[in-house]
Every structure is written in structure tokens, then in C-alpha cells.
Amino acid sequence: MSRHDIPGKKMAYQKVNADQRAPGHSQYLDNDDLQATALDLEWDMEKELEEPGFDQFRLDRAENQNLENSETADLNLDSIQPATSPKGRFQRLQEESEYVTRYTRSAPKSNPCNFCRLSKMLCTAIILFIFGILIGYYAHKNCPSNATSSGTLDLQLYQEILKTIQAEDIKNSFRNLIQLYKSEDDVEISKKIKTHWTSLGLEDVQFVNYSVLLSLPGPSPSSVTLSSSGQCFHPNGQPCSEEARKHGSQDLLYPYAAYSAKGTLEGEVIDVGYGKADDLKRIKKMKNTTNQIALLKLGKLPLLYKLSLLEKAGFGGVLLYIDPCDLPKTTNLSYDTFMVSLNPGGDPSTPGYPSVDGSFRQNRSDLTSLLVQPISASLVAKLISSPQDRTKNGVCSPLELPNNEERIVNMQVQTVTKFKTVTNVVGYLKGLTSPDRYVIVGSHHHTAYSYNGQEWASSTAIITAFIRALMLRVKRGWRPDRTIVFCSWGGTTFGNIGSYEWGEEFKKVLQRNVVAYVSLHSPIRGNSSLYSVSSPSLQQLVAEKSNFNCSRRAHCPGTNVSSVQIRGDADYFINHLGVPTVQFAYEDIKALESPSFLSEALFLKRATKIEEMDPFFNLHETITKLSGEVILQIANEPVLPFNALDIALEVQNNLKGDQLNPHQLLALASRLRESAQVFQSDEMRPANDPKERAPIRVRMLNDILQDMEKSFLVQQVPPGFYRNILYHVDEKTSQFSILLEASEHCKSLPSNETLQEALSEVLNSINSAQVYFKAGLDVFENVLVGKN
């Protein structure tokens, strides 16, 4: 891991002033009269271009200084400030047709030296012009076509890299990875990935291992027994029998909740639906929930949040299932069982710090007091005495336990905890001009003792395909400006353990250096709709790529880009580092319309195989190219393609129409938007123009852009909710998730203290972002003063 101790800088763009001259300038350009005339003209232009609507974003002291000095005869260069026009100073001048009449100074009085001066200046200008042409000609002639460039990749170079990505190569890589399932641990798969990446030319590919606490299935299957009849069932709905144990021991062991409490509990089954706060409030008025067993549907809200509500309500156990009505019609999982992890992230024995040698290990085998057991929909139908086929006239009837019926069951949950090694594979492609700025690309691989799904093989095949295409160009002499870090994470199914531990170990370096995270987690979940998730600052870039892809496909719905909570290893980078994140994936339209968070379930046997969803691997190729183009732009654009104004607009949209928001929140959001507008127009617009670009100020600007989202990391959130409050729990609501949860929570409490705390968290985040942008603008002004 590269550890560059370069402090974060605030950045902006500075207009060229009189003192910024190219080496070798003529002595006539130093003439005091001409210099004073140019500065006088620049000062007059600045005064005319200042717009009163943006004055509040300047330092008050600087404003007063400008007003005082504007009346003096001798120009004080320290008082010159950048223009605040939303369109930028130079563009504004070009647009004003009356500029010549408004700003042209009267001609100076003639004197005998004027003709001589003009003649000398003309001759000097002609000589410099011819000299510049000769230098440019020979420099261009001597520059090889494949030479490394730190400039922006043009479209042709993007296409040269991406066109080498072929669906057939991805399919072959996928099939080779699937053959490694027989391995008893993830060592063989990790070695295969490392060897392959190294053979492609990737630099410094290494293993990063951590010894972590894993929660694994117990020695015998869990069971659910009806007390009234004595019937015993396994989680998949099959009757308990020796024959069932012999023919499907692994299948019977697999459905479990990692890090659940273990033991035996007998109680009444209470149907709590999706476990929302309103439902639990209503149920507690009707029944005694202490040490009872909740029948809970997965979806709608994060599982960890719903379990925390059930714990507070006094429940002792949970039977967790997925309602068939929430699944696509093409997917029949009634008899399929699944696994869930109750781990919020990382090694439970080392919460908040890495699992390196010498670290203190806490005894945290159970992360909840509840006995949690995932069961199939077919077992739920047996428990509530309901027919398994609940579809009539094409309409699906959700599974529900009648209110007037009572079910007493005995549930037995068995799990064991063991310390195991989790391996990450990390490889680097060092950047040319900014090697200390990282674009992280993350996939995951199969981990021992976890489910044998195929999503990890898709993820690994896609990242490998992009590495192959990239390294073909690198071997010809090209190199990205920023370092690209490729990571294949281990331990993902147990709570993103590999990525969390790596992030915690290198936290200080990553906080300063990571620019963006591109996730390749579970890229093929369906085949009907391209679904993109990104940070607000990257939504414009993602929408642009998605629209281009849609124009090339016959069947493509409207652009679907949102900032919602996603499953996978991006979690640490979003919630602990505040890193802008992007993820492309294909979904089923029905899955997009159904309750969110169903992806928290990991099925032992998927009803639809990857190759059935994408037989020709064209979807894999599309995901690789879309992700690859985003990676290339972020890694190579001189100015990071982040949009500051979109963050401010997202904040305002989150507060729109919500009666809970006090005036202070709305006023702060308005000021944040105005600051972002000034920042984006005055600093980002000219910095994107190569004619106006100053390298040192571009670096400062990028430092500001990469840290924009860190202001929205809050300390206290409900379990399962993102600490980065720019992300929503679903696409149907646009309000801040923590405010929605707090308002619901307060309905059952005598005071609104929880809501006030949530409002304070949001207010402080918006204020922090406003101060951050304002400080960035001030830095630019101060740098300009220092230059002058």
C-alpha cells in the first residue's frame, strides 16, 4: 500500500494575471506604463462584472478592502478578487457586445516615443510568434504517437481500450472460476486470481490476509416444531427425518443467520409483516410480545433495523422469510432456503479496528439477543395452514397468519463460531501525475463456508476483463494519471469482512487519497433493466453513460440512477470514508418494483443460473464497458468529473415538502446551493478549459471535490441505516432516511427527543458542507492575493 503523507489541500482555479508570464517574455512587456494600464483595465472589468447576488460568499474583510481600494489612485494588487459571475469571467466578457464601448479606456495623449514603442512591440511580437511556431512544430514532430500523456483521454483512446473487451473472454473466465467451487477454502481461488492478474501485467499484486471470527452452521440442522401436533420441520419445509438428513445434510445446514443467538425457544408465533414501527405499535397493544416468536418478512427496511425494533419490543425469536408475492414471477423460490448475515460490517471480534496481529479480540459471537432462523415460504404456508399456491386470477395473495389463530412453536437454532483466515487480492496500476490519488475498483470472490452462488464469479470475471483491456494499452506506453487499485474481497457474505478490515488498517491513507469507489458487486441479478446506483456528485456522469448505452440497445427503459443503500463491499467506503461511489447492475423489473433489501438474502441454490440470465454474456460485456469508461474518466480527467451543485440539489430535494423541517434547515440548504453554484461556475468551469487551466489550482480543486461527501457522515444512525445520509433506504422516498425513521419512532414515545437529535445531525451536516464550500472559495481568493 502506498503511503504518501501529502496533506489534503483545498483547490480552485485562478485566472491569469499580470504577473503570470511565460519564461522568456519580452522586456517591452515589463514596461511600467503598459503594466499599469493592463492592471487598471483588469480592475475596472472586475468591478463591472461583480454581481450583488453572490457578494455574501466573499470574506467580509475582503469585500471592505475592495470597496476601500477601488477609490485609490495606486492599485493595490492584494485587493483584486476572482470574478463571481456564474458563467465565468472570460465567457462573460465574450458575451457582452457592449464591452468595447463600456470598458475601452480613452487613448493616451500622444508623445514622441509612442511610435518607437509601438514599432519595437510589433517586431518583438512577430519574432516571438515565429519562434513559438517553430518550437511547437518540432515538439509535436518529436512526440511519439504512443507516448504517455497526463491529459484527458479522448474518445478514440477510450474506445481503443474498451473495444478489446469481449463477451466470449468474460464467459471463458467465468466458467474457469466456477470450476474452483470444490476448494475447501478460498486459498485456491485467491491464488488463481493473483496469478491471472499478474500474468496480465498488473503491478504489485499481493495477498492481504486477516484472521477473523466467522459464524458458521452448527453440527446439526436447525428445526421448527409445531407444539400442537408435534410435527418437526427443517427450514426448507421438509419433515425432520433421518432420510432427509442423509440426502441433504449441507442443504439443511446452510439456511441460517450468521451471528444470531443460538439455543431453543418455545413461544407463540406473531405475524409482524415487514416489521415496521407502526405494525409493532399496533401489535403490542393487542398481545404480549415478551419472549414470543416474530414471523417476519424480509424487505422494505434493513433487516438489522427491524431486528432492533423486535428486540426493543421484547421478542425472543424470529422466523424470517421472503413472501413469494415480492419476487419476480419467473423466480420460484418457495422451497428454497437462504442465509443472512447479522454483522453490520467487519470482524465482530475487532469492532472499529483491524484484525492484525496483537489486536485485542472481543467475545462477540452473537450480535443480537434474538434467535433468528431463515425459513422457506413453503414452511410458512404449513405453519399458518395455508395453501402454497396463493395465486388467483393472476393476483398473488401475500402470506399472512389470521389474527384469530394461535400457533405455538418450538424453534432450535444452532451455529458455531471459529477464527478463519479471509484473503483479499489487491493489485495496483500506478498513476503518472497523481500516483497518490486512488480509484478503487472492487469485486469479491468465493469464501470458504459461504453459499455457492455464482454472483462472485460474474464479479471476478468482469474485473479481470477490464484489467486485461487496460494492461494491453499500458504495455504500449500509456498510463492513467491517477492510481487504479483493483481489489477482490474475501468474506463478503459474512458482513463485508475483507473490505472492512483492509479499510480499517489503511484508514488514514485512504481518507486522504481515495477519489472514488467503483463497485462490481453482483452485477447480473436479472436481464431486463440496467440499474445504476451512484453518489449524488456522480449521477450526471453515470446518467450520461447509461443513456449512451440505452441508445445502443433495442430494449432499454429510461435511465434509472439513484442514491440508495446497496449491498456489498462499497459499504465501508461510503459510510466511513465518504467516498463517491458508482455501481452498474442488471435487474429484473419486478425486482426493482418489489420491496427493497431482498438482496440481503443469499440463496443456496438460485432458481435462475447466471448463464440462463445472460447466455451470450452480452450483459456482462455491457457492465464491463460502462464501469470501465467511468473508471477511465475518473482516473484521467484533469478535473474530477464530480458535480458539487448536484449534492446541494439533493439536499434541497430531501427537505422539500417535509413539514418537520425547521426554517434553519431550509435556510442552510438554500445557502449551500448558492455556495455550490458559485464554486461550480467560478472554479470548476474555467478549470475544465485547457486554455485557462493552472495545474496547481487544479490539484487544489480536486482535493475539494473528492472530500465533498465527508460532510454528510453522521455519528448516530439506526442499525442498518447508512451513516452517509445522502443515501436513501429506497427509491420511493426522497426525504432523509434518519428523519423519516425518527418521526415514525417518535409516534410511540411521549417526547420528540429522538427527532430533535436527528434534525440536529442533518443540520450540522448541511452546515458543515456549506462551510466547506465557503472555505474553498476563500482559499481561491487568498491564493490569488498571494500570487499578486
Side-chain angles (χ1 to χ4, degrees):
M1 183 71 190
S2 177
R3 301 173 182 265
H4 300 273
D5 296 324
I6 299 177
K9 300 177 181 178
K10 303 293 180 284
M11 176 153 196
Y13 174 80
Q14 175 179 340
K15 309 295 189 298
V16 178
N17 56 57
D19 286 338
Q20 291 176 300
R21 304 187 186 89
H25 61 272
S26 169
Q27 59 179 336
Y28 297 103
L29 300 182
D30 287 333
N31 183 278
D32 293 337
D33 294 337
L34 290 175
Q35 183 177 358
T37 301
L39 290 174
D40 288 342
L41 176 58
E42 182 177 358
W43 173 241
D44 287 348
M45 287 158 51
E46 289 292 342
K47 290 198 298 179
E48 290 291 334
L49 290 177
E50 286 179 352
E51 295 182 14
F54 297 95
D55 288 345
Q56 64 270 29
F57 299 108
R58 298 179 178 277
L59 281 174
D60 294 337
R61 183 176 178 182
E63 279 184 333
N64 296 334
Q65 189 177 4
N66 282 349
L67 292 174
E68 293 169 3
N69 292 339
S70 64
E71 302 297 328
T72 61
D74 295 327
L75 284 176
N76 182 356
L77 300 186
D78 292 342
S79 67
I80 297 179
Q81 302 293 338
T84 55
S85 166
K87 297 181 180 179
R89 172 176 158 190
F90 297 120
Q91 181 177 345
R92 174 75 175 274
L93 290 178
Q94 293 167 2
E95 290 173 354
E96 293 196 10
S97 59
E98 299 179 358
Y99 163 71
V100 176
T101 58
R102 292 176 58 187
Y103 297 111
T104 304
R105 288 181 175 271
S106 58
K109 296 181 180 181
S110 60
N111 60 67
C113 296
N114 276 352
F115 180 77
C116 296
R117 287 181 180 175
L118 290 175
S119 299
K120 292 179 181 179
M121 289 177 61
L122 180 61
C123 293
T124 303
I126 292 174
I127 293 172
L128 290 176
F129 178 73
I130 296 173
F131 187 62
I133 291 177
L134 292 174
I135 292 177
Y137 172 78
Y138 285 105
H140 178 74
K141 184 176 179 180
N142 295 329
C143 182
S145 58
N146 292 329
T148 305
S149 172
S150 61
T152 305
L153 279 177
D154 57 18
L155 180 61
Q156 181 179 0
L157 183 52
Y158 280 106
Q159 296 309 314
E160 285 182 6
I161 294 174
L162 299 176
K163 72 180 181 181
T164 60
I165 298 172
Q166 301 295 328
E168 189 65 26
D169 294 334
I170 301 176
K171 180 171 69 174
N172 293 335
S173 178
F174 174 86
R175 290 179 173 175
N176 290 335
L177 290 167
I178 292 298
Q179 299 301 317
L180 299 174
Y181 268 150
K182 298 179 182 179
S183 173
E184 291 297 326
D185 54 35
D186 64 347
V187 173
E188 184 178 347
I189 293 177
S190 301
K191 286 182 178 178
K192 177 75 173 180
I193 294 171
K194 182 178 184 293
T195 301
H196 197 176
W197 288 5
T198 303
S199 69
L200 295 175
L202 195 61
E203 305 160 351
D204 193 22
V205 185
Q206 55 188 250
F207 290 139
V208 186
N209 298 324
Y210 299 98
S211 178
V212 300
L213 186 68
L214 299 184
S215 177
L216 306 173
S220 60
S222 299
S223 62
V224 178
T225 304
L226 283 170
S227 298
S228 58
S229 62
Q231 289 179 290
C232 175
F233 298 97
H234 290 304
N236 62 357
Q238 295 181 10
C240 300
S241 65
E242 288 298 324
E243 184 178 354
R245 296 188 185 206
K246 290 179 181 178
H247 289 84
S249 58
Q250 283 299 320
D251 291 357
L252 295 178
L253 289 175
Y254 178 81
Y256 78 109
Y259 306 103
S260 163
K262 45 190 172 290
T264 302
L265 174 66
E266 183 173 275
E268 178 185 358
V269 176
I270 299 177
D271 192 346
V272 297
Y274 293 102
K276 295 188 292 185
D278 286 345
D279 296 332
L280 295 180
K281 181 180 177 181
R282 172 180 50 83
I283 291 170
K284 287 191 68 176
K285 292 180 179 179
M286 299 168 53
K287 295 186 176 182
N288 177 20
T289 58
T290 304
N291 289 328
Q292 305 301 340
I293 299 173
L295 183 63
L296 176 66
K297 292 183 184 182
L298 193 66
K300 298 282 190 185
L301 291 167
L303 176 60
L304 293 183
Y305 173 64
K306 297 194 289 188
L307 294 181
S308 70
L309 296 180
L310 293 174
E311 276 188 297
K312 292 178 182 177
F315 282 92
V318 177
L319 295 176
L320 181 66
Y321 73 102
I322 297 178
D323 196 310
C325 296
D326 292 335
L327 294 169
K329 294 180 180 179
T330 56
T331 305
N332 182 13
L333 300 174
S334 296
Y335 290 91
D336 283 11
T337 51
F338 57 93
M339 167 198 173
V340 294
S341 176
L342 309 185
N343 180 11
D347 178 12
S349 70
T350 58
Y353 53 95
S355 299
V356 296
D357 291 343
S359 295
F360 172 69
R361 305 284 181 165
Q362 301 183 22
N363 183 17
R364 302 184 70 203
S365 58
D366 303 339
L367 299 182
T368 176
S369 62
L370 297 169
L371 275 70
V372 182
Q373 178 59 54
I375 61 176
S376 66
S378 60
L379 176 54
V380 176
K382 293 178 181 179
L383 294 178
I384 65 177
S385 302
S386 170
Q388 294 180 10
D389 186 5
R390 300 176 62 85
T391 303
K392 295 181 180 179
N393 299 324
V395 178
C396 182
S397 299
L399 291 169
E400 293 179 351
L401 179 65
N403 291 329
N404 57 352
E405 296 186 12
E406 182 178 276
R407 297 286 187 275
I408 306 296
V409 302
N410 183 292
M411 62 182 297
Q412 184 182 39
V413 176
Q414 295 195 40
T415 59
V416 295
T417 52
K418 295 181 180 179
F419 280 97
K420 298 289 183 181
T421 299
V422 165
T423 302
N424 299 325
V425 184
V426 182
Y428 300 85
L429 174 59
K430 297 295 178 60
L432 179 66
T433 60
S434 300
D436 60 333
R437 292 294 179 261
Y438 309 145
V439 179
I440 298 183
V441 186
S443 65
H444 71 284
H445 55 261
H446 174 68
T447 300
Y449 310 102
S450 67
Y451 78 113
N452 288 339
Q454 297 182 350
E455 293 174 340
W456 71 270
S458 285
S459 177
T460 305
I462 283 176
I463 194 173
T464 302
F466 180 66
I467 293 173
R468 180 188 297 111
L470 196 63
M471 298 312 298
L472 287 175
R473 185 67 190 186
V474 171
K475 291 175 182 178
R476 294 169 56 191
W478 173 84
R479 185 171 289 271
D481 285 353
R482 301 178 182 91
T483 296
I484 305 177
V485 185
F486 295 95
C487 304
S488 182
W489 307 114
T492 298
T493 56
F494 294 96
N496 308 315
I497 292 180
S499 57
Y500 256 77
E501 296 308 305
W502 188 79
E504 288 171 349
E505 181 176 5
F506 298 103
K507 183 175 182 179
K508 296 298 183 182
V509 177
L510 299 175
Q511 281 178 330
R512 184 176 64 245
N513 294 348
V514 176
V515 167
Y517 185 92
V518 179
S519 173
L520 298 174
H521 179 86
S522 186
I524 308 297
R525 307 164 198 165
N527 56 12
S528 60
S529 178
L530 177 63
Y531 180 64
S532 308
V533 174
S534 80
S535 305
S537 59
L538 278 169
Q539 284 192 9
Q540 282 196 27
L541 177 64
V542 173
E544 173 189 326
K545 304 308 172 190
S546 300
N547 283 331
F548 177 70
N549 177 70
C550 286
S551 66
R552 295 180 296 177
R553 293 178 58 84
H555 304 286
C556 189
T559 303
N560 192 354
V561 185
S562 59
S563 298
V564 296
Q565 295 191 193
I566 56 177
R567 181 176 162 267
D569 293 287
D571 185 280
Y572 184 83
F573 299 90
I574 293 173
N575 289 301
H576 294 271
L577 301 178
V579 174
T581 302
V582 175
Q583 175 180 279
F584 293 99
Y586 272 96
E587 291 266 16
D588 287 315
I589 292 179
K590 172 63 178 176
L592 295 174
E593 296 171 350
S594 64
S596 55
F597 297 99
L598 294 183
S599 61
E600 291 183 319
L602 304 175
F603 285 92
L604 176 62
K605 293 181 178 179
R606 294 190 62 85
T608 305
K609 301 290 185 180
I610 295 292
E611 293 201 52
E612 292 177 5
M613 290 188 290
D614 187 19
F616 302 105
F617 280 73
N618 291 328
L619 302 184
H620 284 75
E621 179 182 323
T622 299
I623 294 293
T624 309
K625 290 183 175 180
L626 283 172
S627 303
E629 192 164 358
V630 168
I631 294 166
L632 288 171
Q633 276 201 248
I634 298 175
N636 288 277
E637 293 295 325
V639 178
L640 291 170
F642 300 164
N643 197 309
L645 183 56
D646 281 354
I647 291 181
L649 293 174
E650 182 78 7
V651 170
Q652 281 197 320
N653 289 335
N654 289 348
L655 299 175
K656 189 181 299 181
D658 195 337
Q659 302 301 320
L660 296 174
N661 299 323
H663 173 72
Q664 293 92 328
L665 272 180
L666 300 174
L668 267 178
S670 179
R671 290 200 293 273
L672 173 62
R673 176 175 177 173
E674 292 171 347
S675 292
Q677 284 177 325
V678 176
F679 176 80
Q680 191 151 314
S681 62
D682 276 19
E683 312 305 343
M684 291 189 66
R685 185 205 63 77
N688 278 293
D689 185 351
K691 296 179 181 179
E692 302 181 29
R693 188 179 298 146
I696 188 172
R697 294 179 68 89
V698 169
R699 175 70 183 220
M700 293 167 60
L701 174 58
N702 286 333
D703 287 346
I704 292 177
L705 291 173
Q706 76 177 53
D707 288 341
M708 290 188 299
E709 291 191 24
K710 290 180 172 59
S711 296
F712 296 94
L713 298 181
V714 300
Q715 293 299 320
Q716 298 296 328
V717 292
F721 280 59
Y722 269 14
R723 288 183 57 216
N724 188 330
I725 62 174
L726 293 175
Y727 288 77
H728 307 133
V729 292
D730 58 50
E731 297 180 74
K732 298 177 182 178
T733 55
S734 60
Q735 289 85 359
F736 285 110
S737 299
I738 60 172
L739 294 184
L740 287 175
E741 188 278 333
S743 62
E744 289 295 319
H745 187 72
C746 286
K747 292 179 181 178
S748 58
L749 297 176
S751 69
N752 64 347
E753 182 178 343
T754 302
L755 178 58
Q756 293 302 319
E757 290 177 354
L759 285 169
S760 179
E761 291 272 23
V762 174
L763 186 143
N764 290 332
S765 295
I766 300 174
N767 184 64
S768 175
Q770 153 66 12
V771 171
Y772 183 74
F773 283 124
K774 180 65 168 61
L777 292 169
D778 293 344
V779 165
F780 279 89
E781 295 180 352
N782 293 335
V783 169
L784 181 57
V785 169
K787 286 286 184 180
N788 288 330

